[in-house]
């Protein structure tokens, strides 16, 4: 397939980084299309562990070119830190990384406003990376873009106008100290020297790549249920992680997309606040967190854990158009006697016909479970589907049928070689 989209099918952290790393061996370019350094995509190669926040996970394969698309919001400091960390680990970046001139910049006031919002009543448990406030400015048509870095004078003027407005807000509404305009302008003008070399017209670069017969993998961050339109609003992120966002966030038109691959964790996790019908608040949830090492790759926060939700993944399949799926972390379920799968929701004893997107309804929805036998064995060394115990195969067949997804890949551990292809 020449253009494929990878989407998180639940609430993020499904193991997108690992699967993108594997698939990028078969693609020429990998493109991030939304989100920012709120993402944490982990790739383990041998004894090395990489956590990518802004740079596409394809960067670990030296023949792959990587693009940060216009839909991404970029914290220049986080980007430069990530570049130097990767270079320090022997990964080449120069000549392989291209950043869209239309991507927006995260400014210090975005992070400050994120933390102020989180200290109030509208707290949603963000990553604190300034994501929401940056997208607010983008849509309010006040944002500072990557292309602005190229012209120091315009950059200074734009930052000054923004900070004057934000300072009024900080002082009068939030009773906070004002920000120092000149030091922030200086800091961002200096980023220019380090980042200039990567900035380019990425829609044109991608169009040329397609004309040359190159293949492109679009790497989504977060997950469908965190999508600002289709997720569990207001407990969502401020971008479009679903497959539609891959076009608007990269400049690749819908007519060029060949396939959509969903990354689906074999159970469910969520970080931050918001409804989570299959959440386990007992020792089984604790067991999933412990065996699955479910702690945030960006913030280190413990992830909330629960059973697989086929009703939710079926919704995700629908809005993303998922044609094939990679099931991740199947190995984590190897110590459970019984494994539950949510197959429907009910409210007041009535089964719901479709996934509720209204917050109040979702809070009241009760999962309807079917219980399967566990396989009680270690899957982490298996590389062939036929090696899997029959109970593990039954689990996979069951979740595939109930969620309407065709499973093409099964991950049984964090490393590249712990992967089964069908
Ligand atoms: P992403 O944000 O979707 O890329 O996922 P994260 O990197 O935030 O979280 C996934 C975590 O699970 C990482 O620590 C991975 O190394 C790890 N992981 C990925 N696939 C598997 C798997 O099949 N089994 C186990 N045990 N760990 C996995
Ligand atoms: P990856 O790409 C899991 C969650 C936050 C919070 C909500 C809004 O690694 O799967 P934000 O900082 O985006 O304004 O926070 O979204 N969130 C994620 N949860 N994985 C992620 O990324 C996430 N990025 C944001 O916890 O609930
Ligand atoms: Mg993650």
């Amino acid at each position: 397939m020449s253009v494929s989209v990878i989407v998180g099918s639940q609430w993020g952290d499904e193991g997108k980084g690992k699967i993108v790393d594997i698939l990028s061996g078969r693609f020429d370019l990998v493109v991030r299309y939304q989100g920012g350094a709120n993402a944490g995509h982990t790739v383990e190669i041998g004894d090395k562990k990489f956590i990518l926040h802004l740079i596409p996970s394809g960067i670990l394969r030296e023949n792959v070119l990587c693009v940060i698309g216009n839909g991404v919001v970029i914290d220049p400091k986080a980007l430069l830190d990530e570049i130097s960390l990767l270079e320090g680990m022997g990964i080449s970046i120069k000549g392989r990384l291209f950043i869209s001139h239309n991507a927006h910049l995260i400014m210090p006031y975005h992070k400050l406003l994120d933390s102020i919002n989180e200290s109030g009543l509208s707290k949603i448990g963000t990553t604190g990376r300034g994501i929401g406030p940056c997208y607010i400015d983008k849509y309010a048509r006040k944002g500072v873009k990557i292309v602005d870095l190229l012209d120091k004078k315009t950059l200074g003027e734009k930052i000054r106008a923004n900070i004057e407005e934000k300072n009024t807000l900080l002082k009068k509404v939030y009773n906070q100290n004002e920000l120092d305009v000149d030091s922030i302008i200086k800091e961002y003008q200096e980023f220019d020297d380090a980042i200039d070399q990567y900035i380019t017209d990425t829609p044109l670069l991608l169009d040329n790549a397609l004309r040359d017969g190159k293949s492109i993998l679009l790497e989504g961050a977060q997950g469908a249920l965190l999508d600002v339109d289709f997720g569990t609003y207001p407990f969502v992120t401020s971008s479009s992680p679903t497959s539609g966002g891959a076009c608007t966030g990269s400049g690749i038109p819908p007519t060029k997309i060949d396939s959509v691959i969903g990354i689906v964790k074999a159970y469910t996790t969520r970080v931050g606040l918001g409804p989570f019908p299959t959440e386990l608040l007992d020792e089984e949830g604790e067991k999933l967190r412990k065996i699955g090492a479910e702690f945030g790759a960006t913030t280190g926060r413990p992830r909330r854990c629960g059973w697989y939700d086929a009703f939710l993944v079926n919704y995700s399949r629908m809005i993303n158009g998922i044609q094939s799926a990679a099931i991740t972390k199947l190995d984590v379920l190897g110590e459970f006697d019984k494994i539950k799968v949510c197959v429907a929701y009910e409210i007041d004893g009535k089964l719901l016909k479709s996934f509720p997107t209204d917050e109040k309804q979702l809070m009241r929805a009760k999962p309807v479970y079917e219980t399967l036998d566990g396989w009680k064995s270690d899957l982490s060394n298996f590389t062939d589907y036929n090696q899997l115990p029959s109970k593990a195969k039954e689990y996979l067949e069951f979740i595939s049928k109930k969620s309407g997804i065709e499973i093409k890949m099964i991950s049984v551990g964090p490393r590249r070689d712990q992967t089964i292809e069908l």
Side-chain angles (χ1 to χ4, degrees), residues 302-334:
R303 294 174 182 152
R304 299 159 65 192
C305 297
W307 296 120
Y308 185 82
D309 188 340
F311 198 58
L312 175 150
V313 175
N314 201 14
Y315 168 69
S316 185
R317 174 199 55 75
M318 176 181 87
I319 54 170
N320 283 300
I322 293 173
Q323 292 149 315
S324 63
I327 300 293
T328 59
K329 306 194 87 159
L330 186 65
D331 55 302
V332 174
L333 296 174

Side-chain angles (χ1 to χ4, degrees), residues 250-261:
S250 69
I252 296 178
T255 46
K256 299 276 193 242
I257 307 281
D258 297 298
S259 76
V260 178
I261 303 163

Side-chain angles (χ1 to χ4, degrees), residues 12-18 40-42 44 49 297 303 328-332 411-414:
D13 302 327
E14 297 89 352
K16 298 176 290 294
K18 168 181 165 161
H41 296 181
T42 314
E44 285 191 27
K49 183 170 172 172
R303 294 174 182 152
T328 59
K329 306 194 87 159
L330 186 65
D331 55 302
V332 174
S411 173
V412 290

Side-chain angles (χ1 to χ4, degrees), residues 138-379:
K138 171 173 173 172
Y139 287 95
R141 295 157 294 179
K142 292 175 182 167
V144 185
K145 299 205 288 186
I146 281 281
V147 69
D148 296 325
L149 288 176
L150 299 175
D151 174 354
K152 285 199 167 72
K153 188 165 169 283
T154 314
L155 178 70
E157 285 165 6
K158 282 201 178 177
I159 295 179
R160 188 172 298 279
N162 269 287
I163 297 190
E164 275 166 10
E165 190 188 285
K166 296 294 187 288
N167 272 344
T168 311
L169 186 72
L170 287 170
K171 201 169 131 197
K172 302 222 163 118
V173 178
Y174 297 118
N175 202 19
Q176 300 267 329
N177 293 334
E178 294 189 6
L179 295 166
D180 179 33
V181 185
D182 293 320
S183 68
I184 295 176
I185 291 178
K186 187 164 172 284
E187 188 189 1
Y188 274 67
Q189 284 176 338
E190 280 164 14
F191 286 135
D192 167 41
D193 302 330
I195 294 178
D196 259 19
Q197 58 184 313
Y198 303 109
I199 305 174
T200 193
D201 180 344
T202 53
L204 185 64
L205 178 143
L206 294 169
D207 187 55
N208 284 335
L210 288 174
R211 282 171 200 277
D212 290 345
K214 306 272 191 231
S215 55
I216 301 176
L217 186 62
L218 291 144
E219 176 179 4
Q222 289 83 49
L225 276 296
L226 287 171
D227 187 282
V228 70
D229 286 283
F230 301 109
T232 49
Y233 193 90
F235 300 99
V236 293
T237 191
S238 301
S239 67
S240 306
T242 45
S243 54
C247 293
T248 52
S250 69
I252 296 178
T255 46
K256 299 276 193 242
I257 307 281
D258 297 298
S259 76
V260 178
I261 303 163
I263 313 302
V264 185
K265 199 180 276 194
Y267 49 96
T268 314
T269 62
R270 161 161 220 173
V271 206
L273 305 178
F276 181 174
T278 64
E279 181 171 20
L280 290 165
L281 296 164
D282 53 13
E283 65 276 11
E284 289 201 290
E286 193 56 51
K287 190 169 163 184
L288 280 172
R289 186 175 308 111
K290 194 158 165 265
I291 303 173
E294 295 294 354
F295 295 88
T298 295
T299 58
R301 290 179 290 176
R303 294 174 182 152
R304 299 159 65 192
C305 297
W307 296 120
Y308 185 82
D309 188 340
F311 198 58
L312 175 150
V313 175
N314 201 14
Y315 168 69
S316 185
R317 174 199 55 75
M318 176 181 87
I319 54 170
N320 283 300
I322 293 173
Q323 292 149 315
S324 63
I327 300 293
T328 59
K329 306 194 87 159
L330 186 65
D331 55 302
V332 174
L333 296 174
E335 290 180 32
F336 288 82
D337 294 323
K338 297 280 177 194
I339 304 172
K340 288 187 181 176
V341 173
C342 167
V343 293
Y345 289 172
E346 60 175 27
I347 294 181
D348 299 333
K350 278 206 183 108
L351 290 180
L352 301 192
K353 289 199 171 69
S354 57
F355 189 83
T357 41
D358 170 54
E359 186 198 345
K360 285 208 184 87
Q361 255 203 319
L362 196 54
M363 290 288 195
R364 292 178 60 215
K366 297 264 171 298
V368 177
Y369 286 116
E370 290 200 25
T371 304
L372 283 80
D373 289 333
W375 47 91
K376 297 285 280 179
S377 58
D378 178 13
L379 307 182

